[in-house]
Amino acid sequence: MRIRKIAISAGVLGLAMVGGAFTASPAQAYTKTCNVDQTVFYSICFDGGNDSFTVNDMRADGERAVIKWYAYDGSGREGECQDANGALNGAVVCDYDFKEGPNNYVAFMGFTRDGASGPKHNASWAYTGYITPR
């Protein structure tokens, strides 16, 4: 009976140690923040795994879908990613190289506009995408 208790205790301890090994390793996940405009004008995403934005124009209204972004990584950079290839012709991916850091992120929003520099229409909320995995 005593040997059985020792064997069970050793087995439980072994499982606890194996479980600890799995939970102690750092997560390799990255952040991906996406939004689809509720009126189905466009979809926007930031992928923190490869520092890219994806914008997809989903309505044939003569306007392009745009992401406006600001980097909060100490660089002061900002920019736009535009889907100007027409509605429902596949998403556009814009790749950037942001500075990694535990508190670094991008703020971005989507909107539509007529031409490369027309006024904003159908603006989304502002979203936060983390550059470094959380």
Side-chain angles (χ1 to χ4, degrees):
M1 185 70 169
R2 180 169 168 82
I3 293 174
R4 183 175 171 189
K5 285 183 183 180
I6 292 171
I8 291 172
S9 296
V12 170
L13 180 61
L15 287 175
M17 291 175 70
V18 169
F22 286 120
T23 58
S25 63
Q28 297 300 315
Y30 59 89
T31 61
K32 188 168 187 177
T33 306
C34 296
N35 180 55
V36 177
D37 178 75
Q38 296 301 315
T39 54
V40 193
F41 286 102
Y42 53 83
S43 67
I44 57 176
C45 283
F46 173 71
D47 186 343
N50 58 13
D51 295 350
S52 67
F53 290 97
T54 304
V55 59
N56 192 4
D57 186 353
M58 298 171 14
R59 184 177 230 175
D61 57 4
E63 295 192 345
R64 63 183 64 191
V66 181
I67 293 175
K68 175 70 176 172
W69 58 266
Y70 301 90
Y72 293 92
D73 62 356
S75 69
R77 293 189 306 160
E78 63 181 80
E80 290 186 352
C81 179
Q82 301 183 24
D83 181 354
N85 65 8
L88 304 171
N89 285 330
V92 171
V93 177
C94 301
D95 291 314
Y96 300 96
D97 187 19
F98 296 113
K99 183 179 174 184
E100 302 292 324
N103 298 314
N104 295 353
Y105 64 96
V106 293
F108 65 100
M109 66 178 293
F111 56 89
T112 62
R113 73 169 164 221
D114 188 15
S117 59
K120 295 176 185 164
H121 302 123
N122 309 303
S124 73
W125 293 98
Y127 297 95
T128 301
Y130 290 97
I131 297 168
T132 302
R134 296 240 170 228

